Amino acid sequence: MAIKTDAVGKKYEPVEYVVGTEKIREYTAATFDDNPLSNDEEAAKAAGYPGLVAPPMFAVVFSSKAAVPAMFDPEVGMNFAMMVHGAQDFTFHKPVVAGDRITTTASVKSIEENAGKGFYVYTTESVNQDGEPVCTADWTCIVRGV
Amino acid sequence: MGFTIGEKIEEVRVTPDKYLPHRYAGASGDFNPIHIDKEFAEMVGLPNTILHGLWSMAQVQRAAIQAAGNDPTRVKKLSAQFRGMGQPEQEVIVTGEVTGEEGEHITLALEAAQGENRIIRNSVAVIASA
């Protein structure tokens, strides 16, 4: 059965996320990240930031809110029961700081079949309240037995 | 920063406790039951709940931040492939080395393993050299 590729290029509605101080601390606690810039407001301010600096991969928290609806889109038709997260690629353009208002737009980058597996790649692009890009991410999902 | 190609970076060693995947689920918003529900995990053929790939990748990120002089804003790119499935209550060791230097940037190759099980492979980080 040929894999369905109609959704390649499809773009989704932007999703807004406001970065909270305690949410950053919740993320650093769960990832054992004790970096002062991401945990101690005084340290972040002393380094010239208005609030806690989110660890780069905090991007997962705000960009997944845009990526997940794309992954569940019936038009994409990805079989979740047979899906594994295969790879992840982040480019960090600018630090994210507590109080930032991040808008993320997801799209379907590519859908390919190789050796009986489906490779679904989604891209998320996140910008801050000033319209500056903060993170671009590629999410690769692999589906066995397409 | 005085990096040398082939130079090993400082390791990260961490043992996720039994309930860590629950806390990471809350922190990240990823409540896929394979990470938090043993019965569900067994039903889909896994031996136990498994670690979130993005949690393991966050340990690779910690190694990259350390290499960047503990400055998270100097990490410019991070990519990884998820291969072996990580288990709670087993030590994760992240290792890496410097593979290149181009202009203002240093490239690192990293991986994370639990014993012989290499859970994150072909990870590449690009960090600003200053």
Side-chain angles (χ1 to χ4, degrees):
Chain A
M1 194 181 82
I3 195 168
K4 207 167 81 161
T5 59
D6 307 353
V8 172
K10 186 172 176 182
K11 229 173 170 166
Y12 296 83
E13 284 297 307
V15 176
E16 193 181 75
Y17 183 93
V18 182
V19 179
T21 299
E22 295 306 334
K23 190 66 194 181
I24 293 176
R25 288 202 180 110
E26 195 186 335
Y27 180 86
T28 57
T31 53
F32 304 112
D33 181 345
D34 60 1
N35 193 290
L37 290 177
S38 305
N39 289 281
D40 177 356
E41 286 186 300
E42 293 309 316
K45 281 173 187 163
Y49 298 98
L52 291 187
V53 178
M57 277 184 62
F58 184 84
V60 166
V61 179
F62 52 78
S63 56
S64 64
K65 292 191 186 303
V68 170
M71 292 174 189
F72 276 98
D73 180 359
E75 205 183 316
V76 175
M78 190 166 72
N79 179 2
F80 258 78
M82 301 300 280
M83 190 274 282
V84 293
H85 190 178
Q88 187 76 27
D89 189 316
F90 295 103
T91 302
F92 306 108
H93 308 288
K94 195 176 193 310
V96 170
V97 178
D100 278 356
R101 197 169 278 271
I102 308 294
T103 303
T104 301
T105 308
S107 59
V108 182
K109 184 178 186 181
S110 61
I111 301 176
E112 283 165 14
E113 191 176 336
N114 188 11
K117 289 179 181 162
F119 292 79
Y120 294 77
V121 184
Y122 304 86
T123 297
T124 53
E125 293 183 79
S126 304
V127 301
N128 67 16
Q129 60 281 356
D130 299 319
E132 298 167 311
V134 294
C135 180
T136 305
D138 278 355
W139 310 63
T140 302
C141 300
I142 303 176
V143 176
R144 288 164 289 157
V146 290
Chain B
M1 294 264 295
F3 279 109
T4 316
I5 309 286
E7 181 187 339
K8 301 267 186 266
I9 63 162
E10 193 186 337
E11 286 180 1
V12 166
R13 286 173 180 257
V14 59
T15 303
D17 57 272
K18 187 176 176 183
Y19 299 110
L20 178 277
H22 291 74
R23 298 199 304 283
Y24 182 78
S28 67
D30 181 351
F31 285 90
N32 186 328
I34 59 174
H35 304 300
I36 53 180
D37 182 340
K38 190 172 184 338
E39 282 175 29
F40 181 90
E42 285 169 353
M43 199 175 75
V44 297
L46 299 169
N48 197 349
T49 51
I50 60 168
L51 297 176
H52 293 77
L54 288 169
W55 179 85
S56 303
M57 188 175 174
Q59 303 313 308
V60 174
Q61 159 178 265
R62 286 175 60 209
I65 293 171
Q66 279 180 9
N70 288 317
D71 183 350
T73 70
R74 282 175 44 200
V75 178
K76 302 301 180 188
K77 281 176 186 277
L78 188 63
S79 63
Q81 293 179 345
F82 307 113
R83 294 294 173 83
M85 286 178 285
Q87 306 272 318
E89 301 184 281
Q90 288 181 28
E91 187 178 41
V92 175
I93 301 177
V94 181
T95 54
E97 64 176 53
V98 178
T99 52
E101 184 169 10
E102 204 177 307
E104 309 285 290
H105 293 95
I106 305 287
T107 307
L108 309 173
L110 303 118
E111 72 171 44
Q114 289 183 312
E116 296 295 301
N117 183 17
R118 295 155 66 214
I119 59 177
I120 302 267
R121 297 187 204 175
N122 302 324
S123 177
V124 176
V126 175
I127 60 177
S129 47

